[in-house]
């Protein structure tokens, strides 16, 4: 089992930046593929970014590609989401997720463990 706790959300102006962090418990953090998802009001939870266990492979949703960067520090049991050039449509609750499946994944049902979420609000 792994427990995930997101932090770093907040209110920012359009064009601004935030860095989200997801702290994981346990000593097996490097065994998990990690992902970020988000859910806006009235919408389904959607994929944002994923990173392989060693951090060598990443994949992004088209909507955030070029603006967001996912990274991980396995020594700190932490995954990050650096969000630049934020847009109002990025407003959502952002969730960190962990998967024991070997491949990076874009579907929420590929992830077994989820954090509680952190709110990101981008104003115009």
């Amino acid at each position: 089992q792994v427990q995930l706790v997101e932090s770093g959300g907040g209110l920012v102006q359009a064009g601004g930046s935030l860095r989200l962090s997801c702290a994981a418990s346990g000593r097996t953090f490097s065994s998990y593929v990690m992902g970020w998802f988000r859910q806006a009001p009235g919408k389904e939870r959607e994929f944002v970014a994923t990173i392989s266990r060693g951090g060598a492979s990443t994949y992004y949703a088209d909507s955030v590609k070029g603006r967001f960067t996912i990274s991980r520090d396995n020594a700190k049991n932490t995954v990050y989401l650096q969000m630049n050039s934020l847009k109002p449509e990025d407003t959502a609750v952002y969730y960190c997720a962990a998967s024991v499946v070997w491949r990076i994944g874009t579907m929420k049902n590929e992830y077994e463990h989820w954090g509680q979420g952190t709110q990101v609000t981008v104003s115009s």
Side-chain angles (χ1 to χ4, degrees):
Q1 294 285 341
V2 61
Q3 290 187 311
L4 308 173
V5 180
E6 302 96 334
S7 62
L11 174 63
V12 298
Q13 297 182 61
S17 298
L18 282 174
R19 189 177 77 159
L20 306 183
S21 297
C22 174
S25 65
R27 63 181 182 88
T28 59
F29 176 72
S30 62
S31 297
Y32 293 91
V33 168
M34 301 297 297
W36 286 97
F37 290 75
R38 66 187 183 186
Q39 188 166 20
K43 294 186 176 181
E44 297 291 324
R45 191 170 299 184
E46 66 176 357
F47 167 76
V48 175
T50 185
I51 188 167
S52 61
R53 298 176 182 186
S57 298
T58 59
Y59 189 77
Y60 300 89
D62 288 343
S63 59
V64 306
K65 193 174 300 181
R67 300 187 297 119
F68 291 10
T69 303
I70 188 171
S71 62
R72 68 192 297 163
D73 187 338
N74 287 345
K76 296 181 178 179
N77 282 10
T78 303
V79 63
Y80 305 95
L81 185 67
Q82 178 67 46
M83 305 185 295
N84 298 326
S85 301
L86 284 162
K87 305 174 181 179
E89 50 263 45
D90 295 318
T91 295
V93 176
Y94 283 71
Y95 296 90
C96 176
S99 174
V100 298
V101 177
W102 68 270
R103 64 180 291 273
I104 57 175
T106 62
M107 302 179 69
K108 58 182 181 292
N109 61 9
E110 296 178 285
Y111 293 82
E112 295 81 31
H113 307 282
W114 295 83
Q116 82 288 348
T118 185
Q119 177 71 48
V120 172
T121 303
V122 185
S123 62
S124 300

